[in-house]
Amino acid sequence: MLEQLTNYVYYLPAEATTDRPILGVVRGSRYTLVIDGGNSEAHARKLQHAISKKFGAEHFGDADVNFVAVTHHHWDHVFGLDAWDAPVLAEQRIATQLEYLSTLTWDDAALNARVVDGTEVTFCRNMIQAELPETPQNPRQVIVRLADITFTDAITLDLGGVCCDVVHVGGEHAPDSCVVYVYEVDTSSDDNNATHDATKPAAQRNSVLFLGDCTYQNFYNGHSEASYDMQQLQSLLTRLAKFPATWYVTSHNEAAQDAPRFRQEMEQLTAIGITVEAHGFDGDLVLEMLSRRYGLRSTEDTRELVRMFQVGLRLRQQQSQDTI
């Protein structure tokens, strides 16, 4: 079932079992945009059926969705693209990565080989195998669809009553990451063709920011553990501050977050990063200072985040030494 956030914005919840991310739907008075293509044809079809059921269509037709925007190139956001008849919209960096992914093979042997050489991570290999089981009778077939429409840095789509700014923000999870900032516009104005500045801060009523995975950790760091780098996180959060929203949708969270909850989560993440920067690899001291200064309890989640920031700090220090 689709969850409704605003008059124009809906989403299909994530499913952790096979790493299915949240998929967004922005339905304007003239056009409909889907955000991310799904992690398989089955995932995409599930959203298509949900759209048909929600909006009363007897059959899902080409006209029901006009564009599919991609937040970044990771498999769970793009393996379902081929199930959509609508054009795929991708920032140039994502489009380049899709071209590369289309040259790869995705059978178990190829996946295992890439895990061994460090170009794929075990978690993603396992999730691909869970979502798309392979048997001798039914080999895994993946079609990585290429972008139909590309842009550089930012583009605005006026869907009718609601606009979507698709903007590259980067980040360490995937350097090609884009966000989709959705905000209502005044359709009573005569200037319906006005250009919207995607870099201008605006606290729009009922606005939604689809974050993709941009605030998540780096899995592809060449290390056996995922990492966060405090410097990169601060830079990303500065860019995200340009898009103040009522709701924030992060792809693998259980549900959308309101602005206070999202800010709290980012403040806690920042506090952990700052404390690791100050106290380094003394885990007990870091946890003590987090409790004393920020009131953060030593939960397993907190300890895991501390380890990720420590890995990120160590990798940055090693990189700095290598450049000397």
Side-chain angles (χ1 to χ4, degrees):
M1 296 291 292
L2 287 177
E3 300 285 344
Q4 183 169 2
L5 279 180
T6 72
N7 292 331
Y8 298 96
V9 178
Y10 308 79
Y11 69 91
L12 187 70
E15 299 175 60
T17 306
T18 56
D19 206 33
R20 289 182 171 183
I22 285 175
L23 303 179
V25 179
V26 186
R27 191 172 178 86
S29 61
R30 294 195 301 274
Y31 305 107
T32 296
L33 170 72
V34 161
I35 300 170
D36 281 329
N39 76 346
S40 65
E41 179 181 350
H43 191 201
R45 297 297 183 209
K46 183 172 183 176
L47 178 58
Q48 291 169 0
H49 291 311
I51 291 172
S52 297
K53 186 173 182 178
K54 181 69 176 180
F55 302 111
E58 293 183 5
H59 303 285
F60 185 83
D62 294 350
D64 289 293
V65 171
N66 304 99
F67 305 98
V68 181
V70 184
T71 60
H72 64 295
H73 73 278
H74 287 169
W75 77 275
D76 49 317
H77 298 256
V78 304
F79 274 14
L81 286 174
D82 197 55
W84 298 94
D85 292 324
V88 172
L89 177 74
E91 204 273 340
Q92 186 58 57
R93 278 157 277 215
I94 300 174
T96 299
Q97 289 296 323
L98 291 177
E99 291 175 357
Y100 168 68
L101 293 180
S102 71
T103 68
L104 301 179
T105 53
W106 298 93
D107 56 73
D108 283 349
L111 282 171
N112 292 335
R114 291 201 290 273
V115 169
V116 171
D117 68 24
T119 57
E120 187 55 87
V121 295
T122 301
F123 174 80
C124 292
R125 187 269 314 274
N126 293 346
M127 290 296 101
I128 291 171
Q129 291 174 334
E131 177 68 27
L132 298 166
E134 180 176 73
T135 66
Q137 295 76 26
N138 294 291
R140 182 178 303 113
Q141 300 200 2
V142 174
I143 299 174
V144 178
R145 181 175 166 186
L146 304 185
D148 300 293
I149 302 170
T150 63
F151 63 95
T152 302
D153 295 330
I155 192 172
T156 295
L157 303 176
D158 186 342
L159 305 181
V162 61
C163 282
C164 299
D165 295 335
V166 188
V167 184
H168 175 258
V169 295
E172 60 180 322
H173 180 83
D176 60 358
S177 286
C178 290
V179 297
V180 184
Y181 187 50
V182 185
Y183 52 94
E184 297 180 10
V185 294
D186 184 3
T187 57
S188 64
S189 170
D190 291 332
D191 187 13
N192 287 328
N193 296 316
T195 300
H196 304 279
D197 184 353
T199 66
K200 186 184 297 182
Q204 300 282 354
R205 180 175 61 89
N206 289 333
S207 57
V208 181
L209 186 64
F210 283 89
L211 292 151
D213 291 358
C214 72
T215 59
Y216 291 148
Q217 62 268 46
N218 182 2
F219 290 102
Y220 293 91
N221 56 21
H223 196 276
S224 59
E225 296 180 86
S227 62
Y228 267 118
D229 182 273
M230 185 56 196
Q231 293 181 0
Q232 292 195 51
L233 177 63
Q234 286 181 316
S235 179
L236 173 65
L237 293 180
T238 298
R239 293 191 289 275
L240 295 182
K242 296 179 179 179
F243 309 100
T246 308
W247 294 99
Y248 292 80
V249 182
T250 311
S251 291
H252 295 279
N253 282 15
E254 291 184 1
Q257 297 172 297
D258 60 21
R261 181 68 189 92
F262 175 75
R263 285 195 294 267
Q264 181 186 38
E265 185 175 291
M266 291 302 102
E267 287 168 359
Q268 291 179 350
L269 192 62
T270 300
I272 294 171
I274 289 173
T275 307
V276 169
E277 291 288 309
H279 300 288
F281 306 108
D282 188 335
D284 290 337
L285 180 57
V286 169
L287 291 170
E288 178 185 343
M289 298 309 295
L290 285 172
S291 176
R292 185 184 303 176
R293 293 182 178 177
Y294 301 103
L296 292 179
R297 294 182 301 139
S298 178
T299 65
E300 179 54 39
D301 287 344
T302 301
R303 293 191 292 272
E304 183 178 5
L305 288 170
V306 167
R307 288 193 294 270
M308 289 181 189
F309 277 106
Q310 288 175 330
V311 172
L313 177 60
R314 183 176 293 108
L315 291 172
R316 189 184 342 126
Q317 291 176 345
Q318 291 173 351
Q319 185 178 26
S320 178
Q321 291 174 354
D322 291 342
T323 58
I324 296 175

